[in-house]
């Protein structure tokens, strides 16, 4: 529930580097938290919002130094206790004045929504109230652990989005699948179609109606019943790794959407209680400095301990 707040006075803001390049409608929705989207568009259409003294449309992109006049708006006051708790500090792998890379734990959503009141980005903003801007540069699934980039400047965010679209950010994941994967290296190019189930859950399936999707799969290790794979994403479609591998008959161990549910239940008894998918490597050219960045994240303890269990079990059988 939201309590109705009071209308603010006229605000005058100056666009700095952190918002340069952002659309005025998105900027207003971010700084006028609690104001309905319809009202934001209404004050833009009516000319009550002014940039450098003139009217602008909702698609106008801010330039550093722009003077923005925001009329009084009635902001809904959030109910007590709805703010994201700061919680424990998130593990930071890399940080400078343009971006942060964190090592996201499994089970934590990257943002609130779809029944999740808050995620990594809300928690990070709560932990760093002084930050002018913190925005996700990309997303990884809630169940997936590993490397996640957050931009601290609008210019870095825009550049990272462009780099991801053209495939110049190298993202590699580690996953465990049942069975013995044969090929040392295999390109998977199968289109993926996103849809909603009758219950409103997001799902993806292989379909010619879908968008092109390209994964490169490398065999890392094999046991009698399982294979450890490294998957490099050349495109970033929703659930891409999970659906590509399930399509080939190698569903991810512990995947509760596209996996082998009977096997998952058995694996829980053997110690694997989550989906085995970890964002292990990131390589890219820094969007502002041009520096080459290469980052790694080791398998979390709960995944490494299952690998150790497989090693011990196969050694026992071979012994």
């Amino acid at each position: 529930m939201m309590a109705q707040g009071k209308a603010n006075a006229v605000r005058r803001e100056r666009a700095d580097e952190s918002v340069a390049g952002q659309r005025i409608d998105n900027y207003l929705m971010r700084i006028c938290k609690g104001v309905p989207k319809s009202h934001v568009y209404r004050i833009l259409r009516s000319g009550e919002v002014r940039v450098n003294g003139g009217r602008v449309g909702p698609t106008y992109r801010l330039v550093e130094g722009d003077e923005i006049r925001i009329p009084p708006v009635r902001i809904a006051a959030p109910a007590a206790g709805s703010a994201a708790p700061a919680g424990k500090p998130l593990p930071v792998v890399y940080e400078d004045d343009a971006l942060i890379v964190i090592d996201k734990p499994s089970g934590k959503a990257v943002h609130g929504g779809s029944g999740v009141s808050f995620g990594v980005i809300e928690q990070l903003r709560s932990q760093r109230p002084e930050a002018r801007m913190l925005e996700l540069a990309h997303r990884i699934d809630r169940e997936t652990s590993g490397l996640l980039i957050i931009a601290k400047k609008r210019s870095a965010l825009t550049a990272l989005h462009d780099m991801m679209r053209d495939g110049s950010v190298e993202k590699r994941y580690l996953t465990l699948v049942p069975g013995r994967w044969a090929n040392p290296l295999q390109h998977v190019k199968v289109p993926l179609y996103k849809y909603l189930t009758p219950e409103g859950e997001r799902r993806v399936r292989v379909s010619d109606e879908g968008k092109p999707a390209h994964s490169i799969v490398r065999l890392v290790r094999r046991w009698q019943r399982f294979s450890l794979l490294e998957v490099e994403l050349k495109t970033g479609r929703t659930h891409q790794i999970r659906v590509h591998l399930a399509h080939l008959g190698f569903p991810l161990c512990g995947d509760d959407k596209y996996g082998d549910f009977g096997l998952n239940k058995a694996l829980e008894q053997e110690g694997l209680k989550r989906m085995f998918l970890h964002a292990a490597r990131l390589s890219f050219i820094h969007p502002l400095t041009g520096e080459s960045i290469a980052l790694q994240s080791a398998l979390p303890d709960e995944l490494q301990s299952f690998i150790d269990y497989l090693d011990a079990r196969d050694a026992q059988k071979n012994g």
Side-chain angles (χ1 to χ4, degrees), residues 223-224 309-319:
W223 293 265
Q224 289 183 356
Y309 163 76
L310 293 180
D311 283 341
R313 194 177 64 177
D314 276 21
Q316 192 177 35
K317 285 183 179 176
N318 295 332

Side-chain angles (χ1 to χ4, degrees), residues 148-198:
L148 178 70
I149 309 173
I150 290 106
K152 296 164 73 175
K153 288 186 176 180
R154 184 69 45 192
S155 51
L157 181 67
T158 304
L160 283 164
H161 282 166
D162 290 343
M163 291 159 64
M164 287 183 189
R165 268 193 295 273
D166 68 24
S168 55
V169 176
E170 187 177 291
K171 294 184 278 189
R172 298 193 182 203
Y173 293 70
L174 289 173
T175 187
L176 189 76
V177 297
R180 292 176 64 80
W181 184 272
N183 298 330
L185 185 146
Q186 182 172 337
H187 287 260
V188 184
K189 294 182 179 179
V190 184
L192 299 177
Y193 177 75
K194 193 159 57 171
Y195 65 100
L196 289 178
T197 67

